[in-house]
Amino acid sequence: MMYDNNAAANVKAGIDKINFYTPNHYLNLVDLAKVRGVDPNKYLIGIGQSKMSVAALDQDIVAMAANAAEPMLSAEDRQQIGLLIVATESGIDQSKAAALFMQDLLKLTGNLRAIEIKEACYGATAGIQLACDYVRSHPGRKALVIASDIARYGLDTPGEVTQGAGAVAMLITSNPAILAIEPESIYESRSTGDFWRPNYSTVAFARGKFSEEIYVSMFEEVWGKAQRQGMANPETLQALLFHIPFSKMGRKGLRTLGNGKIAEADYTRLTERFERSIVYGKEVGNIYTGSIYLALLSLLENDESLKVGDRIGLYSYGSGSVAELYFGTLQPGYRQRLDAQAHRDLLDHRERLSMPEYEAMFSAQLVTDGSEQDLGRSDHSEAATHYLTGIKDHERQYR
Ligand code: CAA
């Protein structure tokens, strides 16, 4: 059959299912502030975060990704997935895609393309856009996009308070139940040195203040273009989501629309909805490429006033840097697809780490000398059905 460009443009594509997983250990940031000799309000208000999830060695990005996707996939979904993308900047292998581990762990068919995407925190958005194009041209098939990351800056560094760990899984389909994504969007790439992680380092390097400047400047750029092209009318925009490395960062992006740049009523509405979008992220921390999708889930599960047909904007930013502003419309089935109680339980049932426990967990490393390693299991919760058991013959072993 010939591919029909016009027909593809008419197929509604977007997010049909969404779920997230975060490991079951967290650090309270007041505890961190006390030990680092910092006023806790700097973290709670200045950075805008209250807790951060900490991943033990057995919850690497593959295990977390599988745990995010497992509960939401039906037998039919598993048959119909033809594109499988894992977006991560915490990759576990230089060659084999994390998506291939997923194909095995999630019991998907072999009749699919499995790849890994990297562009810092923008990776999952690239994956979603590719996935939407895929289902527009193959409406009978589905795509699974999973964002999974562990944000690591190092002990006693300025970035330490902006760490976190978790994964967000999204099923992309035609006629989606949650969010139909518009085919046209505004994007921009600029090669910058704001944040990077060389192959030899287990922690990221960041020019923190510079990274904040680039984030904001690229937002202004894509927002301005979207306005000029008639895509970003604030009156009809019910919410605007941001990549949230920490909640203050998104707030700084949103504030560029304040001071009369858009009508006060619109700014107030977007600010109220922004507050709902950061509820989960404030307790999880930065999960890099999944952060904006955690914000989407947080908004949908913590805002009672949104309704079917509401238009939402998403500002995705990945250091290095790529930014994209795109839009979607809430679909009739969206409320039935959510499980706010399960996600609240996941966050509330985590174990609080003491500072020495956090530092030990952060410093633990997998062997790098080719020897074998057996790991204990850190998360016995129902949500953690997948975990890394160790390393054998240079390969990670999962169960
Ligand atoms: N009460 C209330 N607020 C306080 C306070 C107190 N007692 N003490 C300080 N603050 C405020 C400061 O005024 C400041 O507010 P503004 O940013 O609004 O000016 C805020 O707390 C942060 O304090 P500092 O300016 O002293 O900043 P810092 O040196 O501690 O570093 C950071 C902050 C640059 C964000 C650092 O945590 C960092 O480098 N993080 C990693 C990089 C990062 O996340 N960049 C974001 C953009 S890049 C990106 O988004 C991609 C990605 O995921 C990495």
Side-chain angles (χ1 to χ4, degrees):
M1 200 173 81
M2 290 279 287
Y3 174 67
D4 182 343
N5 227 333
N6 293 328
N10 291 329
V11 174
K12 232 190 228 184
I15 302 172
D16 187 63
K17 293 183 180 178
I18 182 169
N19 188 44
F20 95 97
Y21 169 82
T22 192
N24 76 330
H25 293 100
Y26 76 93
L27 183 67
N28 187 304
L29 296 180
V30 173
D31 296 346
L32 180 68
K34 282 184 188 150
V35 171
R36 299 290 179 244
V38 168
D39 178 351
N41 281 337
K42 172 172 173 180
Y43 293 168
L44 300 173
I45 300 165
I47 296 288
Q49 294 294 116
S50 60
K51 296 173 183 170
M52 67 186 187
S53 286
V54 184
L57 289 180
D58 64 319
Q59 283 301 323
D60 67 0
I61 58 112
V62 166
M64 292 194 302
N67 288 329
E70 184 69 70
M72 72 177 198
L73 297 179
S74 67
E76 195 186 25
D77 294 334
R78 287 173 216 253
Q79 286 299 315
Q80 291 173 337
I81 290 170
L83 176 64
L84 171 56
I85 297 175
V86 173
T88 186
E89 53 184 298
S90 326
I92 60 151
D93 194 282
Q94 294 283 22
S95 178
K96 181 174 172 178
L100 283 161
F101 291 93
M102 226 50 56
Q103 186 235 345
D104 182 30
L105 295 174
L106 298 173
K107 301 198 170 19
L108 305 180
T109 72
N111 182 21
L112 54 76
R113 297 181 180 125
I115 57 168
E116 184 171 315
I117 287 188
K118 175 181 67 188
E119 187 351 72
C121 305
Y122 171 72
T125 298
I128 286 173
Q129 294 293 0
L130 287 175
C132 284
D133 285 346
Y134 172 77
V135 299
R136 284 185 192 111
S137 56
H138 302 79
R141 306 217 62 188
K142 298 178 178 178
L144 178 60
V145 178
I146 314 177
S148 188
D149 265 315
I150 301 175
R152 290 170 58 88
Y153 290 89
L155 301 176
D156 209 3
T157 59
E160 182 178 32
V161 63
T162 66
Q163 299 176 137
V168 180
M170 287 160 285
L171 191 67
I172 307 295
T173 67
S174 55
N175 297 317
I178 299 179
L179 190 76
I181 293 174
E182 295 171 18
E184 294 304 324
S185 65
I186 304 290
Y187 40 85
E188 160 98 11
S189 293
R190 278 187 214 172
S191 178
T192 64
D194 66 328
F195 168 102
W196 68 104
R197 183 166 69 83
N199 284 347
Y200 57 78
S201 179
T202 62
V203 292
F205 291 78
R207 296 189 173 101
K209 294 291 168 195
F210 179 55
S211 72
E212 293 187 298
E213 278 170 34
I214 300 285
Y215 176 110
V216 169
S217 126
M218 289 184 83
F219 172 67
E220 291 179 311
E221 177 91 21
V222 290
W223 175 265
K225 270 193 199 163
Q227 283 232 297
R228 289 192 291 282
Q229 294 185 20
M231 289 166 69
N233 177 0
E235 273 176 51
T236 56
L237 203 56
Q238 293 304 319
L240 183 54
L241 297 171
F242 287 82
H243 163 53
I244 304 287
F246 50 96
S247 73
K248 176 62 115 15
M249 187 71 258
R251 201 178 289 286
K252 285 184 184 183
L254 182 60
R255 278 182 187 161
T256 63
L257 302 182
N259 294 323
K261 185 122 187 248
I262 63 173
E264 206 175 317
D266 297 331
Y267 185 67
T268 303
R269 180 180 64 257
L270 295 182
T271 303
E272 283 166 4
R273 294 253 161 79
F274 175 80
E275 299 302 335
R276 306 274 85 77
S277 79
I278 57 176
V279 174
Y280 291 163
K282 281 173 92 160
E283 297 185 41
V284 170
N286 194 358
I287 56 169
Y288 288 156
T289 192
S291 296
I292 185 171
Y293 300 103
L294 187 59
L296 171 64
L297 191 61
S298 177
L299 173 73
L300 299 183
E301 293 191 338
N302 292 286
D303 191 302
E304 292 296 319
S305 62
L306 279 168
K307 27 181 219 325
V308 171
D310 281 351
R311 189 167 182 255
I312 293 176
L314 295 96
Y315 172 62
S316 176
Y317 173 81
S319 287
S321 302
V322 182
E324 180 158 350
L325 178 62
Y326 71 98
F327 301 89
T329 305
L330 283 179
Q331 298 300 295
Y334 94 90
R335 280 199 189 274
Q336 291 75 54
R337 283 285 203 251
L338 304 173
D339 195 347
Q341 193 55 53
H343 296 135
R344 182 38 54 206
D345 287 347
L346 183 68
L347 293 173
D348 289 350
H349 294 159
R350 289 175 300 171
E351 203 178 302
R352 181 174 179 165
L353 295 174
S354 66
M355 274 299 287
E357 285 168 335
Y358 150 68
E359 293 198 338
M361 201 173 268
F362 182 90
S363 305
Q365 294 288 326
L366 292 173
V367 293
T368 53
D369 60 358
S371 57
E372 296 197 349
Q373 187 173 18
D374 285 322
L375 296 173
R377 192 171 171 187
S378 68
D379 187 344
H380 292 275
S381 71
E382 263 178 43
T385 46
H386 299 278
Y387 53 99
L388 176 69
T389 59
I391 299 187
K392 197 172 171 214
D393 296 333
H394 303 278
E395 280 186 299
R396 294 191 188 214
Q397 311 290 319
Y398 293 95
R399 193 171 297 152

